[in-house]
């Protein structure tokens, strides 16, 4: 397994290295050591260098936190700050943005990696397809893996050895065999993979990474983002498709996700509820990244997005990377010789490895059998020698005396340790009580200081928003939000009237006295 170490100019972290394992699309693994300030882009570049991959903007690195929530590794942030799991870290190299037109991919290597991703999507049930399409996609995979059908090498049930779909019926296997025998003969692996990509990208669930949630009625729905736009599925049926040009804003608050757009010249607001706030934030970030990648013409047009318009509230996020149009343009300018594509996991490789392993195991079993059956081994059997030694009474007495000495020594040591622990416990109890009091006072002072600081900043800004007539663009946008208007009319105005009433009553009492 190849190891690579990334060095950064930060002196404080040169002595700390962290092991990262990255699982690739063919289920093989590579490892590397990083430092505490190494950013996510280094890991992505490491994997792309391993593949000799240039069209790397379609790919990303995914990880799962201890709460089983998936995340995409952000390239501009240190890896250690993003990972919440214990070291060493384990991540996965996956397709992040599915090409809208696979034919525009320049290199065969990139198409092969996309083929591996789609193969995983089919197996895990993410790429849903009707029977005829499933049979054709399965036949393309068999042609890429096995080559042409050969009756001498392939038995009547050879498809059964391939687990292609989550539910693989006998009828589907027979249809795959029929297409493999008759329609795909003569196609090399690269051509079979390309045919599979062309057929798969026309399906509704192509590129959909489903996010489970509940709609406003409480029904289960799956949200996804594609090159076309935002999609919603219930079961196997697509119930919403909102193109990126019609999506005006994506936002989330807690566990609620909002999609605001225009459909049929009317404003549309779709509301969904996720299981956790972390899942909702991940869904929002995926939507922001996909919208920027597929919608923007240039990366310079990408803006930082806030999850809400409410003042001093919400998360801010910006997609950092090239957009789809820039990636296609850069691919058209690649002039190098196409790199060699090493197709892992083909059946011929598996059979060859299996034959070697079986031969080795058979030879090893023969050698061990010869050793165990030899008279020398039988006469000098260690187990028999031990039994003979333990049967001697003198040896048994010596062993019992040694065990008694060990027990006495252990009792003495335990007694001394208990006395010392009693003294230390009483001392520590006194120290910890003083430390708790000091820590409590210090935390209270910090809390009061933070509250005062927030009030000194917030109160003038709120008064500026609520009482002034300054017409600045960002202040105007905040005043126009429904949340701010609700706060102004339902809370602030009654409170202001109550305070003015109390002040006027106090002034009247003073003047009357």
């Amino acid at each position: 397994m190849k190891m690579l170490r990334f060095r950064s100019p930060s002196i404080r972290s040169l002595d700390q290295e962290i092991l990262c394992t990255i699982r690739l699309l063919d289920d093989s693994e590579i490892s590397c050591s990083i430092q505490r300030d190494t950013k996510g882009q280094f890991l992505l570049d490491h994997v792309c260098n391993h593949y000799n991959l240039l069209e790397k903007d379609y790919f990303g690195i995914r990880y799962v936190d201890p709460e089983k929530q998936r995340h995409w590794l952000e390239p501009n942030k240190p890896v250690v700050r993003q990972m919440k799991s214990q070291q060493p870290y384990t991540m996965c190299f996956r397709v992040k943005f599915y090409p809208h037109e696979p034919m525009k991919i320049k290199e065969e290597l990139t198409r092969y990696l996309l083929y591996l991703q789609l193969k995983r999507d089919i197996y895990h049930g993410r790429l849903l397809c009707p029977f005829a399409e499933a049979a054709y996609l399965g036949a393309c995979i068999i042609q890429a893996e096995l080559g042409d059908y050969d009756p001498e090498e392939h038995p009547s049930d050879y498809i059964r050895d391939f687990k292609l779909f989550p539910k693989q019926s006998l009828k589907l296997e027979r249809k795959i065999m029929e297409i493999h025998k008759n329609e795909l003969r003569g196609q090399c692996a690269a051509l079979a993979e390309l045919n599979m990509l062309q057929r798969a990208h026309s399906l509704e669930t192509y590129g959909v990474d489903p996010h489970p949630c509940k709609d406003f009625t409480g029904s289960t729905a799956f949200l996804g983002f594609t090159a076309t736009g935002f999609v919603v599925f219930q079961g196997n049926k697509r119930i919403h498709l909102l193109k990126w040009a019609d999506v005006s804003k994506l936002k989330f608050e807690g566990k609620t996700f909002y999609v605001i757009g225009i459909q049929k010249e009317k404003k549309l607001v779709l509301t969904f509820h996720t299981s956790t706030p972390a899942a909702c934030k991940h869904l929002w970030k995926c939507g922001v990244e996909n919208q920027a990648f597929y919608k923007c013409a240039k990366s310079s047009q990408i803006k930082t997005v806030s999850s809400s318009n409410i003042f001093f509230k919400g998360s801010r996020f910006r997609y950092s990377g090239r957009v789809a149009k820039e990636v296609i343009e850069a691919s058209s300018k690649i002039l190098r010789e196409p790199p060699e594509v090493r197709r892992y996991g083909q059946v011929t490789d598996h059979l060859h490895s299996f034959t070697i392993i079986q031969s080795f195991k058979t030879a090893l079993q023969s050698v061990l059998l010869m050793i165990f059956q030899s008279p020398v081994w039988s006469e000098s059997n260690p187990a028999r020698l031990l039994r003979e030694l333990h049967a001697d009474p003198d040896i048994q007495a010596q062993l019992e005396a040694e065990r008694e000495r060990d027990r006495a020594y252990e009792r003495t040591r335990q007694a001394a340790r208990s006395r010392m622990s009693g003294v230390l416990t009483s001392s520590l109890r006194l120290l910890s009580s003083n430390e708790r009091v000091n820590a409590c006072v210090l935390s209270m002072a910090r809390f009061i200081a933070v509250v005062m600081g927030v009030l000194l900043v917030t109160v003038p800004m709120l008064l500026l928003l609520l009482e002034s007539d300054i017409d600045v663009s960002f202040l105007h946008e905040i005043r126009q939000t429904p949340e701010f208007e609700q706060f102004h009319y339902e809370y602030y105005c009654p409170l202001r009237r109550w305070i003015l009433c109390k002040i006027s009553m106090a002034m009247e009492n003073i003047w009357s006295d």
Side-chain angles (χ1 to χ4, degrees), residues 305-322:
V305 181
S306 175
S307 65
S308 177
N309 280 330
I310 304 175
F311 193 63
F312 279 146
K313 186 178 181 182
S315 300
R316 296 172 64 84
F317 179 68
R318 184 181 186 275
Y319 166 65
S320 58
R322 294 192 292 186

Side-chain angles (χ1 to χ4, degrees), residues 125-377:
R126 290 187 291 266
L127 185 61
L128 305 177
C129 43
F131 179 83
E133 302 295 334
Y136 185 82
L137 295 177
C140 288
I141 294 173
I142 298 299
Q143 181 69 24
E145 300 284 338
L146 288 181
D148 291 340
Y149 171 75
D150 187 347
E152 295 182 358
E153 294 184 3
H154 303 142
S156 58
D157 58 348
Y158 68 101
I159 301 295
R160 191 172 301 174
D161 296 333
F162 290 84
K163 187 63 177 173
L164 304 175
F165 298 88
K167 294 181 180 179
Q168 191 165 306
S169 64
L170 183 59
K171 181 181 177 182
L172 179 59
E173 291 179 355
R174 288 173 179 170
K175 187 62 178 176
I176 292 173
M177 290 172 59
E178 179 186 338
I179 298 174
H180 178 225
K181 291 178 183 179
N182 303 323
E183 298 183 23
L184 304 181
R185 178 171 293 277
Q187 293 186 9
C188 63
L191 182 57
E193 292 161 4
L194 182 60
N195 288 332
M196 188 259 210
L197 299 184
Q198 286 181 302
R199 186 64 65 92
H201 103 281
S202 62
L203 299 173
E204 287 185 345
T205 51
Y206 169 76
V208 174
D209 184 17
H211 299 260
C213 63
K214 303 282 186 181
D215 63 10
F216 69 97
T217 65
S219 302
T220 301
F222 294 93
L223 314 186
F225 309 99
T226 68
T228 306
F230 167 75
V231 292
V232 181
F233 285 86
Q234 280 189 342
N236 296 339
K237 184 180 179 182
R238 188 178 70 187
I239 61 173
H240 280 295
L241 169 60
L242 199 60
K243 295 184 178 181
W244 288 124
D246 298 329
V247 177
S248 57
K249 186 172 181 62
L250 303 171
K251 69 175 187 176
F252 80 98
E253 294 176 6
K255 297 190 288 185
T256 306
F257 178 68
Y258 302 93
V259 179
I260 304 169
I262 299 173
Q263 196 169 53
K264 296 180 180 179
E265 299 181 354
K266 293 183 180 180
K267 184 177 180 180
L268 177 69
V269 179
L270 299 175
T271 305
F272 303 94
H273 304 281
T274 59
S275 58
T276 62
C280 196
K281 185 175 183 179
H282 173 64
L283 172 62
W284 172 71
K285 291 172 73 173
C286 289
V288 169
E289 288 187 314
N290 277 272
Q291 186 178 22
F293 182 81
Y294 294 115
K295 183 179 179 180
C296 295
K298 296 180 180 179
S299 55
S300 58
Q301 299 175 352
I302 301 173
K303 298 179 180 180
T304 301
V305 181
S306 175
S307 65
S308 177
N309 280 330
I310 304 175
F311 193 63
F312 279 146
K313 186 178 181 182
S315 300
R316 296 172 64 84
F317 179 68
R318 184 181 186 275
Y319 166 65
S320 58
R322 294 192 292 186
V323 299
K325 292 182 179 179
E326 292 175 333
V327 174
I328 294 173
E329 183 180 353
S331 297
S332 64
K333 297 179 181 179
I334 295 176
L335 301 176
R336 68 171 181 175
E337 287 292 323
E340 179 186 0
V341 179
R342 293 177 293 177
R343 287 177 168 82
Y344 299 98
Q346 287 190 331
V347 174
T348 52
D349 296 337
H350 284 312
L351 290 175
H352 182 63
S353 302
F354 181 75
T355 304
I356 293 175
I357 292 171
Q358 286 296 109
S359 302
F360 176 74
K361 288 172 67 176
T362 303
L364 184 61
Q365 288 174 356
S366 302
V367 172
L368 291 174
L369 187 62
M370 292 173 60
I371 292 174
F372 287 132
Q373 289 180 348
S374 64
V376 176
W377 175 267

Side-chain angles (χ1 to χ4, degrees), residues 28 434-435:
S28 62
N434 294 332
E435 288 179 357

Side-chain angles (χ1 to χ4, degrees), residues 6-10 13-14 16-18 33-38 79-80:
F6 296 108
R7 294 287 180 184
S8 88
S10 178
S13 59
L14 285 175
Q16 289 186 324
E17 292 187 344
I18 302 163
S33 294
I34 63 171
Q35 298 172 10
R36 296 190 63 83
D37 55 354
T38 299
V79 177
V80 175

